[in-house]
Amino acid sequence: MSPQKTISPRAWAELILLGVIWGGSFLSIRIALDEIPVVTLVLHRCGWAALFLWILVLLMRLPVPKEPRIWGAFLVMGLLNNVIPFGLMAWGQLHIETGLTSILNAATAIFGVIVAALLFPDERLTVRKALGVGLGFLGVATAIGLEQFARFDLRSTAQLAVLAGTVSYAFASAWARFNLTGLPPLVAAAGMLTGSTLFLAPAALLIDGPPVLELAARTWASIAYFALFATAGAYLLYYRVLELAGSGNLMLVTLVIPPVAIVLGALVLEEELKPQAYAGFALLAAGLVILNGKPVLRRNRARN
């Protein structure tokens, strides 16, 4: 994990751009789900993104790993960071609003702190982190609604599926730290998405049947967006912001994603969220800010 850094205005701009791109992915996925089954959708997302990134790897003449150990790590990373969370969240979006999905997705940072504390000695759970985690869990419970815990229906199952996806993201982050440190980010992302595709291609054929390519123009536009912009392009921007701002400050992107997804869901899909969802996001955001600490804006001072 990279150390905490100050945030320059340029890093802020790129972090916000990353949040906007990821926020738009929830709408594009929901639109595509009208025509494409879940597993096939995730295959489109990972397969096209992998192809795009490998083209960049070849153009940039980056070294391609040959060790079986690294390719095994790519397979596991693809499963944890793409196959499981992308699949669970896409399925969840069939039954809950895109805005609520994006709010629950913000719990990734909360579970990431917990998993890191369990696995890494240098990531111990301090009092500040414990307070942030506690507020985060309170926010998740509020967003879901306490009444959902009293009955177990399809909607509550979908919300739990989204949360399970965030737990998978947290373990993926730990796996990457153990096994993929030192690789060029572009190669690591391409390898991970290739591992995902190797899982998804047979699964999609078995579960959904052969993919249908005669799709509506807006479906293809959605695929292009969430595969090329919100996956391949976003990974490139993610690593750039990580280098500029540090991993701690990068968590702030999770505060940008839900407002974007909520507005797009309301404007395009006419979704309406309950007040408890907004209250839950406020608590979750407070928890994330506490976890992150106070980001410092880098200032250029004139020299005498």
Side-chain angles (χ1 to χ4, degrees), residues 50-165:
L51 177 61
F52 177 78
L53 291 182
W54 279 122
I55 291 172
L56 291 182
V57 169
L58 294 176
L59 290 175
M60 297 174 67
R61 298 183 179 180
L62 296 174
V64 178
K66 296 181 175 60
E67 299 90 340
R69 180 192 66 82
I70 293 180
W71 281 97
F74 284 155
L75 285 171
V76 176
M77 188 66 178
L79 186 67
L80 292 175
N81 200 65
N82 298 139
V83 177
I84 293 174
F86 287 179
L88 289 174
M89 292 187 184
W91 180 82
Q93 281 191 250
L94 290 171
H95 308 289
I96 62 175
E97 299 84 0
T98 58
L100 180 57
T101 304
S102 69
I103 290 173
L104 298 178
N105 176 69
T108 297
I110 304 297
F111 288 113
V113 168
I114 295 173
V115 170
L118 292 173
L119 297 179
F120 302 111
D122 60 337
E123 295 285 353
R124 62 188 181 85
L125 197 63
T126 62
V127 173
R128 175 177 61 81
K129 288 182 178 180
L131 178 59
V133 167
L135 269 177
F137 277 127
L138 179 60
V140 169
T142 302
I144 292 176
L146 296 178
E147 72 279 0
Q148 291 293 328
F149 294 99
R151 65 176 187 273
F152 200 75
D153 55 16
L154 194 58
R155 181 176 175 82
S156 58
T157 303
Q159 293 179 85
L160 292 177
V162 173
L163 287 177

Side-chain angles (χ1 to χ4, degrees), residues 275-293:
Q276 68 194 37
Y278 297 103
F281 175 60
L283 290 169
L284 185 54
L288 293 173
V289 170
I290 291 173
L291 282 176
N292 179 70

Side-chain angles (χ1 to χ4, degrees), residues 26-41:
F26 291 91
L27 174 63
S28 64
I29 288 168
R30 185 61 191 87
I31 290 173
L33 283 169
D34 288 338
E35 276 197 276
I36 305 174
V38 169
V39 182
T40 299
L41 181 145

